[in-house]
Amino acid sequence: MRGAILGFVGGSALLQLQSALPGTAMLACAALLCCATLALQWRRTGTSGSLLRIAAGTLAGFCWAAIVAARALAPALAPQDEGRDATVIGTIDSLPAPGQGSTRFHFALEDVLAPAKMAIPPRIALSWYGGDGSLTRSVRPGERWQLKVRLQRPHGNANPGGFDYELWLLEQGVRATGYVRNEGPNRRLAAFVPTPHNLVQRSRDRLRERILAALADRPYAGVIVALVVGDQRGIGQADWQVFTRTGIGHLVSISGLHITMIAGLVAGIASWLWRRSFLMPTLQLPLRLPAQKVAALAGMLAALGYVLLAGFGVPAQRTLYMLGVVALALWTGRLPGVTHVLALAAGVVVLLDPWAVMWPGFWLSFGAVALILYATVGRTAVYKQAPAADAPPDQTRRGRPLTRRQRLMQALYGAALTQYAVTLGLVPLTMLLFAQVSVVSPLANAIAIPVVSLLVTPLALAGGVLPEPLATPLLLTAHAVVELLVALLRWLSAGRLAVWAAPAPAWWTFALALAGTCWLLAPRGWPNRWLGLATWVPLLAAQPDAPPAGTLRIVAFDVGQGMAVLVETSGHRLLYDTGPAYGPDADAGSRVIVPYLRWRGIERLDGVIVSHGDTDHVGGALSLLRAVPAGWLLSSLAPAHPVVQAAPRQVPCAAGQGWTWDGIRFDVLHPTAASHADGTIKSNARSCVLRIGAPGGTVLLAGDIEAAQETELLARGARLRADVLLAPHHGSGTSSTPAFLAAVRPRVAVFQVGYRNRYRHPKAAVYERYGALGVERVRTDEAGAVTLWLDGAVGMTAQRQARPRYWHAR
């Protein structure tokens, strides 16, 4: 059974690596082969039977995931309907996410009023900006609305080591995204549509509102909300950085530990009341149904309610299914092994959600439990004292009960062993998933686990459900404890050595470290267990790769409508522009650039250039400078700009500046030094233009200069010839003049543009102008992040081509 389930999980994971879904004929062949394999393994034991069961499970998982994926992809918005307005009726289908001047939510479609024949998927993701603020703030789950919307097909930024937004939308059942048109006939039609799903979401919303009202303007109200209803969107980016660096992010949510604790508490209360017949002895309830079964049922129902409040995340699902298996075993009188329980829980998660295998939470959740079982189950433990020397013969074999102090020491030893196993055991997996591991995690978790699990979470839950005047004092107490805890965690995370970072490991490095970890955590008496640490050396000591001497590597990120380019020589790294701001607490620096640098193991930048002050170029700079040390900042920003103030050393960019790194020449071509004193010049006109000359080729990064600045560069006789050109101003109609392109004569032009951006960049005429000159054109909205290397020729890879997935097909 366990082999078949593990094969099922593996088959589902295999399907998620495909660039296209298998056809009907291939699925039929796989299903027949699965049936044949099952028939072959019937009554077989030993290695051959196990291998056949794993093979059958793999085929079944592959087929099941393909069927589920095909059904999920079927409802799609037609390409010709992108950008069209539609008037729809439906219900608010998720917990709304309020922001500054906007609200985001999922919308369950019921009817399309206009245009009548427009096919819209049954679930869409909407944003409501500005307009009548009273309407956007009053959106609640379960309400029926009539809205005028403008939609597009799912699209997300595609970057190495980045978050796959399109996959997340597919898992959520969302097949179109868009926004509400404020000039439409937008009105609420019903205050609540009664369905089980809407009831759960409305309950979560009311609990969140109650907590936020009680903790108005408190800095960690979002943490309390996350612990009660599982909504983590109210936690700030700076706080997440502290939680990540200290390795306690798993506690700032409804985790398996919290669910087990609540289920155990409810089960204990139910058992106590049932054994006492609810203090009415005449009922004799234990004679009608054993208290153990009642406790199991009560604990399971409590866990189910808490998991529903959590939004049904993978860690919560894993715990719920494991508790369900144990409860079912108690009711049926069959006690399965712990590994069977774990395997069955994993199989149920993947059966209901085949995409769960694509998220770190799945592997960390099941990996942590598996490590605890590996390090503790079957190990020798002391449950009795040795019998006294003068004990009677009939007591010699039974021994004496442990004292209270001995029981406490046993519990502390078990907790320490569990923390030791999880901390060390998850190092290879954490490095694989996040390219870093928290060094202070053991100490931080030793403090945070009891504080959050035994104090903050019960107080927050009680404050969320109890009436006033009890609720607010409890919530304030929980918040005060969190505030003290975060202050300690912030101190722990401040050190340079709080986190160990290295590039994401290759498969063989990970496999070696995983084998060594199993050796390290083997039972006492296993020879030379400490040698397992030696297998971590390639994992932890790896260094970021760099291009060979004299060559260049350029990474043009997919940041939407904005610019961000990483330039690498053999020994230096420079970032040109930092992408746009997406919202008050989200930008390209924190969402795209920093995750990429961590994935590569890059801990420092030698320099940062911010070409000018437009938000699509400077939007991610503050987040970047807070997260990654930089040697200097070169920009055309005003001295009072926040980014300039945050930089360690800032120099205004001016034509004539230049430097050499590893035999490669960097020259600033624009603007002139005198232009910084002219307040009438537009921000675009003051863009820093950088030319990079290497033996293997040249690159021109032109920022947002327009026709006048291109003419000025030509008049000054600037060296513009380049093999790779970052298209000026994203390919706007006011740039890329014929004379400028004739001077540059690029072989490759990169257009950093957002999908269906409102500026319609690149302009069709300009894009065709490049094509007419024989220039190879690449757009980040179509190709994703683009990596180029210049070593005498221009090599190029695009993220969507290098890592194609079936849900990316357009």
Side-chain angles (χ1 to χ4, degrees):
M1 173 64 77
R2 285 170 297 185
I5 293 175
L6 293 178
F8 185 86
V9 173
S12 180
L14 180 62
L15 187 278
Q16 311 310 331
L17 302 179
Q18 305 305 307
S19 60
L21 290 177
T24 305
M26 182 177 177
L27 278 181
C29 291
L32 289 173
L33 185 58
C34 177
C35 294
T37 306
L38 285 173
L40 284 174
Q41 67 87 36
W42 184 254
R43 295 184 180 278
R44 290 202 181 193
T45 58
T47 304
S48 61
S50 298
L51 292 176
L52 287 171
R53 282 187 287 274
I54 292 173
T58 302
L59 290 168
F62 186 87
C63 293
W64 173 252
I67 293 169
V68 174
R71 292 189 62 184
L73 289 171
L77 186 72
Q80 63 269 21
D81 288 332
E82 289 188 292
R84 295 180 64 191
D85 290 345
T87 303
V88 298
I89 292 176
T91 58
I92 309 300
D93 196 42
S94 69
L95 200 62
Q100 290 186 356
S102 68
T103 300
R104 292 177 286 117
F105 53 88
H106 291 168
F107 193 72
L109 191 72
E110 295 178 344
D111 192 17
V112 180
L113 300 182
K117 294 185 178 180
M118 184 173 175
I120 298 179
R123 197 169 195 234
I124 57 180
L126 295 175
S127 298
W128 197 340
Y129 300 98
D132 187 348
S134 62
L135 287 179
T136 60
R137 288 193 299 270
S138 65
V139 171
R140 292 290 177 264
E143 294 178 340
R144 178 178 284 125
W145 281 78
Q146 175 180 315
L147 299 172
K148 185 177 182 181
V149 299
R150 181 170 291 180
L151 302 175
Q152 68 178 27
R153 292 152 68 88
H155 186 87
N157 299 332
N159 294 280
F163 178 74
D164 196 327
Y165 181 61
E166 292 175 43
L167 174 61
W168 182 83
L169 289 176
L170 178 63
E171 185 182 34
Q172 299 295 313
V174 173
R175 298 303 302 141
T177 64
Y179 61 94
V180 177
R181 302 277 287 170
N182 288 315
E183 69 274 14
N186 305 319
R187 58 194 179 99
R188 185 188 292 108
L189 301 179
F192 185 70
V193 178
T195 66
H197 176 79
N198 288 344
L199 181 62
V200 169
Q201 296 301 323
R202 179 63 68 91
S203 300
R204 298 179 71 206
D205 181 68
R206 287 186 174 177
L207 280 173
R208 182 177 68 172
E209 292 300 314
R210 188 180 188 194
I211 294 169
L212 293 177
L215 301 176
D217 301 323
R218 296 299 200 284
Y220 302 109
V223 174
I224 304 300
V225 169
L227 291 172
V228 176
V229 299
D231 180 17
Q232 300 176 328
R233 293 171 293 187
I235 302 176
Q237 192 66 37
D239 292 330
W240 270 124
Q241 186 173 355
V242 172
F243 300 150
T244 301
R245 288 180 63 84
T246 53
I248 64 106
H250 63 100
L251 293 175
V252 192
S253 64
I254 301 180
S255 67
L257 180 63
H258 302 155
I259 294 168
T260 304
M261 180 193 67
I262 295 300
L265 178 63
V266 172
I269 294 173
S271 176
W272 187 88
L273 291 173
W274 192 264
R275 282 187 284 109
R276 287 158 179 78
S277 297
F278 291 90
L279 305 179
M280 292 181 285
T282 56
L283 295 178
Q284 297 183 338
L285 294 178
L287 299 179
R288 304 173 188 272
L289 186 65
Q292 189 181 36
K293 291 186 176 182
V294 174
L297 180 61
M300 184 62 194
L301 291 176
L304 175 61
Y306 199 18
V307 169
L308 289 175
L309 285 179
F312 227 64
V314 170
Q317 288 183 49
R318 180 258 301 166
T319 305
L320 178 66
Y321 300 146
M322 291 182 69
L323 291 174
V325 171
V326 173
L328 182 62
L330 286 172
W331 269 79
T332 58
R334 301 180 62 183
L335 292 177
V338 288
T339 55
H340 288 85
V341 173
L342 184 63
L344 189 57
V348 173
V349 169
V350 175
L351 181 70
L352 299 178
D353 180 10
W355 299 285
V357 297
M358 299 301 293
W359 305 114
F362 176 88
W363 300 104
L364 290 174
S365 295
F366 285 99
V369 177
L371 282 167
I372 293 172
L373 297 178
Y374 175 73
T376 60
V377 172
R379 308 297 171 90
T380 302
V382 178
Y383 298 101
K384 295 281 188 179
Q385 295 188 72
D390 57 348
D394 59 334
Q395 295 183 10
T396 302
R397 303 173 70 181
R398 290 185 302 190
R400 295 174 296 170
L402 297 178
T403 65
R404 181 176 300 178
R405 180 177 179 278
Q406 288 172 327
R407 291 197 301 271
L408 177 61
M409 294 305 295
Q410 282 285 91
L412 290 176
Y413 173 77
L417 178 60
T418 298
Q419 185 64 39
Y420 164 79
V422 172
T423 300
L424 294 183
L426 288 182
V427 166
L429 186 58
T430 304
M431 290 298 299
L432 178 68
L433 297 174
F434 304 112
Q436 64 179 24
V437 63
S438 173
V439 177
V440 299
S441 174
L443 177 59
N445 275 279
I447 299 170
I449 287 176
V451 170
V452 174
S453 300
L454 302 179
L455 189 59
V456 176
T457 301
L459 286 172
L461 283 172
V465 300
L466 289 177
E468 293 292 358
L470 298 175
T472 298
L474 292 173
L475 290 171
L476 289 173
T477 303
H479 184 275
V481 176
V482 170
E483 202 163 12
L484 291 173
L485 177 64
V486 173
L488 176 61
L489 295 175
R490 200 178 299 279
W491 177 78
L492 285 175
S493 68
R496 291 185 57 188
L497 297 179
V499 172
W500 186 277
W507 70 267
W508 67 267
T509 308
F510 170 73
L512 178 65
L514 189 62
T517 302
C518 293
W519 187 295
L520 181 67
L521 298 178
R524 185 180 301 175
W526 198 267
N528 301 319
R529 289 186 299 169
W530 59 272
L531 286 176
L533 290 173
T535 64
W536 288 7
V537 173
L539 183 81
L540 300 177
Q543 296 297 313
D545 66 313
T551 65
L552 270 176
R553 178 162 55 201
I554 309 292
V555 181
F557 295 104
D558 180 10
V559 293
Q561 184 64 21
M563 282 187 186
V565 179
L566 180 67
V567 180
E568 297 183 80
T569 68
S570 60
H572 295 80
R573 294 178 177 90
L574 168 74
L575 184 69
Y576 180 89
D577 278 338
T578 61
Y582 304 130
D585 205 27
D587 53 62
S590 61
R591 293 288 180 87
V592 176
I593 302 171
V594 171
Y596 174 84
L597 296 178
R598 287 177 178 163
W599 178 71
R600 289 276 312 280
I602 298 172
E603 299 184 71
R604 186 181 184 278
L605 294 170
D606 295 282
V608 175
I609 294 179
V610 175
S611 64
H612 62 295
D614 283 5
T615 186
D616 57 329
H617 297 252
V618 74
L622 283 176
S623 295
L624 174 80
L625 293 174
R626 291 188 187 115
V628 181
W632 45 259
L633 172 71
L634 188 71
S635 77
S636 61
L637 303 175
H641 196 284
V643 172
V644 174
Q645 299 297 314
R649 183 167 67 93
Q650 194 268 349
V651 179
C653 64
Q657 294 171 331
W659 65 94
T660 300
W661 280 345
D662 308 311
I664 295 175
R665 183 66 187 173
F666 294 76
D667 291 293
V668 178
L669 305 183
H670 187 80
T672 60
S675 67
H676 289 281
D678 188 349
T680 64
I681 297 179
K682 294 193 308 181
S683 178
N684 285 353
R686 202 179 280 120
S687 291
C688 304
V689 177
L690 182 70
R691 184 180 186 272
I692 308 170
T698 53
V699 178
L700 185 64
L701 306 178
D704 274 0
I705 61 170
E706 298 181 344
Q709 291 76 53
E710 293 175 359
T711 302
E712 181 183 343
L713 285 168
L714 291 170
R716 294 206 309 262
R719 295 178 60 194
L720 298 177
R721 170 74 183 91
D723 297 290
V724 176
L725 171 65
L726 182 65
H729 202 187
H730 316 280
S732 73
T734 59
S735 60
S736 299
T737 59
F740 178 78
L741 293 182
V744 178
R745 288 180 291 147
R747 297 160 64 182
V748 176
V750 178
F751 296 84
Q752 284 191 295
V753 292
Y755 180 69
R756 296 186 53 79
N757 64 86
R758 62 193 178 104
Y759 307 103
R760 300 184 183 275
H761 293 160
K763 294 295 184 180
V766 172
Y767 195 68
E768 291 304 320
R769 187 180 302 158
Y770 280 86
L773 295 174
V775 179
E776 184 176 358
R777 301 161 295 178
V778 57
R779 301 171 47 152
T780 56
D781 60 336
E782 296 177 350
V786 180
T787 302
L788 304 105
W789 55 94
L790 289 82
D791 54 1
V794 179
M796 179 172 59
T797 60
Q799 177 67 8
R800 290 186 183 270
Q801 295 174 353
R803 190 180 177 274
R805 295 294 183 263
Y806 64 83
W807 55 84
H808 290 160
R810 307 209 63 79

